[in-house]
Amino acid sequence: MTTATSSVIADVLAQNARQVLGLGSMMLDGVKDEHFARKPIADGKVVNTNHPAFIFGHLAIYPPRLLGLIELDASGIVIPDTFPGLFEPGNECHDDPDGTIYPSRDVIMDVFTQGHTILAERLATVQESVLAKENPRDGRIKQICPTLGSFAAFLTSTHPMLHFGQISAWRRMMGYGSAM
């Protein structure tokens, strides 16, 4: 609901961030901990796809970055030092059968949940004048998202939903049913 200090756009962005939390939880329904960082095997070969550990770790690094760009406080969001090296865009997702590459499911999901919860709370207060500013990022993302508002919308909807689609396909390859 729009308040005196928020806008319709801020409310939509905050709602997107809350939906990411809910849908993210659904994506893991029934998934065993020992499968969280595993790639599926088909015809005796490892399928080169992203697994939930990589996806949720990747999504976890964005809330403080977005908050900083849109001039909101990112305090309270703690990203472990290992996360950027593991989960930056362009990094390869590795099969982790021994659980030695990626942090535990609990660690990854705590960081993801903490960041997106704080993001949702604080997005509701962003001013439209800030969202109208030019996106300072360079390259393709600036072409796709020329303003901070369009970048915020991308990071709270399109980006996570793209990755949740990967988890949906991963679930089926791993023998899990639909998350919906």
Side-chain angles (χ1 to χ4, degrees):
M1 176 185 303
T2 305
T3 66
T5 60
S6 70
S7 69
V8 171
I9 295 170
D11 289 340
V12 167
L13 293 173
Q15 181 60 33
N16 285 351
R18 286 189 293 273
Q19 288 174 351
V20 165
L21 284 165
L23 291 171
S25 177
M26 288 172 57
M27 290 289 114
L28 295 179
D29 188 40
V31 172
K32 296 176 183 177
D33 287 350
E34 60 265 24
H35 292 161
F36 187 67
R38 297 301 314 273
K39 289 188 174 190
I41 297 175
D43 298 325
K45 296 180 182 177
V46 174
V47 177
N48 188 17
T49 189
N50 293 337
H51 50 58
F54 185 82
I55 292 168
F56 281 101
H58 173 73
L59 293 174
I61 66 176
Y62 287 97
R65 293 175 183 187
L66 176 57
L67 288 170
L69 281 173
I70 60 173
E71 303 172 12
L72 294 175
D73 179 19
S75 65
I77 302 175
V78 179
I79 303 295
D81 293 341
T82 59
F83 272 46
L86 291 170
F87 303 121
E88 286 291 338
N91 284 8
E92 185 176 347
C93 175
H94 299 282
D95 190 30
D96 190 10
D98 299 321
T100 58
I101 300 171
Y102 297 100
S104 71
R105 176 181 179 155
D106 288 343
V107 168
I108 291 171
M109 294 312 298
D110 285 350
V111 174
F112 170 84
T113 301
Q114 173 197 57
H116 284 271
T117 299
I118 291 171
L119 179 64
E121 292 168 359
R122 296 185 184 156
L123 275 173
T125 68
V126 68
Q127 298 298 309
E128 286 192 38
S129 60
V130 172
L131 297 173
K133 290 181 179 181
E134 183 178 344
N135 181 355
R137 308 282 306 259
D138 289 325
R140 184 169 174 249
I141 196 64
K142 187 169 187 163
Q143 293 171 343
I144 296 168
C145 304
T147 65
L148 287 176
S150 60
F151 190 51
F154 173 79
L155 288 179
T156 61
S157 60
T158 307
H159 183 240
M161 296 313 145
L162 172 141
H163 288 299
F164 289 166
Q166 291 174 328
I167 294 175
S168 181
W170 173 91
R171 287 179 61 88
R172 285 169 174 82
M173 287 185 278
M174 293 295 288
Y176 294 105
S178 172
M180 303 303 264

